[in-house]
């Protein structure tokens, strides 16, 4: 069964460093998302991406964040200068259609120290 | 603006009892509605969804939900709880009006007592 894969599963980084979280969506999907979940809290929308551009983004997704689909298969989230409060589980998701469910990866746990 | 409200951050039921997890939404356009389940240290798994058509939708693991437009609700039910149902449940709504995003409720943690 096709699935969304995320790497790495866990990343520890120093405050102020740049991190890139990687995702491989399901191959025939067209809509892509990043979400984050701070420990014990709700799943928060960060950004949606379609047709090689951002469709919508939340207020969390400030200038420190960027997304890219560099080669038609990967979908990356970059945090330019990490802060302690960026520590969270980051989920990538993809869907074949906006009305279809999003399929989620297993997440990347980012720890900023 | 759209939002999702899940009533009750924690719900506890006995094994074999009815499960009812509440979800209300607000949306300026007809929404697409979803329930996801999250087991500890895992990602999100779709339980069921409503897009159009029949308002009572059935999902995996014996769960079902009914879309009630007049009440702007999409409550999740299961007739008989099982220990394995203990997890976090998230209601979500998607809208597509030029841009699209799926937003999630705060989640309800379900505890099942033996």
């Amino acid at each position: 069964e096709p699935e969304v894969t995320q790497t790495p599963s866990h990343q520890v980084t120093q405050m102020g460093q740049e991190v890139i979280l990687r995702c491989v969506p399901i191959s025939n999907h067209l809509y892509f998302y990043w979400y984050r979940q701070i420990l014990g809290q709700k799943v928060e929308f960060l950004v949606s991406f379609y047709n090689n551009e951002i469709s919508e983004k939340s207020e969390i997704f400030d200038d420190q964040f960027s997304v890219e689909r560099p080669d038609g298969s990967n979908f990356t989230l970059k945090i330019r200068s990490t802060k302690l409060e960026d520590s969270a589980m980051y989920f990538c998701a993809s869907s074949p259609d906006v009305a279809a469910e999003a399929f989620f990866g297993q997440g990347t746990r980012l720890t900023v120290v | 603006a759209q939002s999702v409200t899940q009533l009750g951050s924690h719900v506890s039921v006995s094994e074999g009892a009815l499960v009812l997890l509440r979800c209300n939404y607000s949306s300026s356009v007809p929404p697409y509605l979803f329930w996801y389940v999250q087991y500890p240290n895992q990602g999100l798994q779709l339980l069921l969804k409503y897009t159009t058509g029949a308002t009572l939708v059935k999902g995996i693991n014996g769960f079902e939900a009914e879309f009630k437009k007049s009440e702007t609700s999409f409550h999740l039910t299961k007739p008989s709880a099982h220990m394995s149902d203990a997890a976090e449940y998230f209601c979500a709504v998607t809208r597509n009006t030029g841009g699209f995003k799926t937003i999630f409720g705060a989640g309800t943690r379900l505890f099942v007592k033996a």
Side-chain angles (χ1 to χ4, degrees):
Chain A
E1 187 177 325
E3 59 181 18
V4 176
T5 56
Q6 290 185 245
T7 54
S9 57
H10 191 184
Q11 180 153 0
V12 181
T13 189
Q14 297 244 335
M15 190 169 56
Q17 294 292 107
E18 174 183 286
V19 294
I20 297 176
L21 309 183
R22 303 181 190 280
C23 170
V24 179
I26 295 173
S27 62
N28 63 341
H29 285 188
L30 301 175
Y31 297 81
F32 312 108
Y33 306 81
W34 281 102
Y35 291 83
R36 78 172 186 190
Q37 185 179 32
I38 295 170
L39 187 63
Q41 298 187 26
K42 66 186 288 185
V43 178
E44 299 175 292
F45 170 79
L46 291 178
V47 66
S48 58
F49 192 87
Y50 170 72
N51 201 27
N52 286 319
E53 60 183 22
I54 289 174
S55 177
E56 250 190 90
K57 58 184 181 180
S58 72
E59 55 276 8
I60 301 168
F61 194 88
D62 61 22
D63 291 344
Q64 294 298 312
F65 290 86
S66 62
V67 290
E68 200 175 36
R69 191 157 158 78
D71 55 12
S73 62
N74 292 285
F75 181 51
T76 60
L77 175 70
K78 182 191 290 185
I79 308 175
R80 191 168 303 121
S81 177
T82 50
K83 304 186 284 288
L84 293 176
E85 53 265 38
D86 293 327
S87 296
M89 182 74 91
Y90 288 80
F91 291 105
C92 173
S94 70
S95 115
D97 183 88
V98 70
E101 71 269 25
F103 290 78
F104 284 79
Q106 292 297 93
T108 293
R109 182 170 297 284
L110 177 65
T111 303
V112 182
V113 297
Chain B
Q2 63 185 58
S3 66
V4 181
T5 303
Q6 290 185 239
L7 297 176
S9 58
H10 297 83
V11 169
S12 182
V13 300
S14 297
E15 194 172 21
L18 171 72
V19 176
L20 171 61
L21 305 182
R22 299 178 187 273
C23 173
N24 288 87
Y25 69 91
S26 66
S27 177
S28 56
V29 297
Y32 306 128
L33 297 160
F34 306 86
W35 275 99
Y36 286 86
V37 60
Q38 185 180 36
Y39 297 101
N41 300 314
Q42 293 191 25
L44 294 152
Q45 179 184 6
L46 180 75
L47 274 179
L48 48 79
K49 66 176 180 178
Y50 169 80
T51 54
T52 59
T55 55
L56 181 64
V57 292
K58 295 183 185 299
I60 62 171
N61 301 338
F63 284 93
E64 61 183 38
E66 186 171 9
F67 169 58
K68 292 187 176 180
K69 186 177 178 181
S70 61
E71 299 177 9
T72 61
S73 68
F74 191 56
H75 301 331
L76 181 70
T77 61
K78 181 173 180 177
S80 177
H82 191 271
M83 297 297 288
S84 61
D85 295 326
E88 186 94 22
Y89 292 81
F90 293 94
C91 181
V93 58
T94 294
R95 66 157 171 82
N96 179 21
T97 54
F100 68 94
K101 64 179 180 181
T102 298
I103 64 168
F104 288 78
T108 298
R109 182 165 294 279
L110 177 66
F111 297 91
V112 182
K113 300 174 291 187

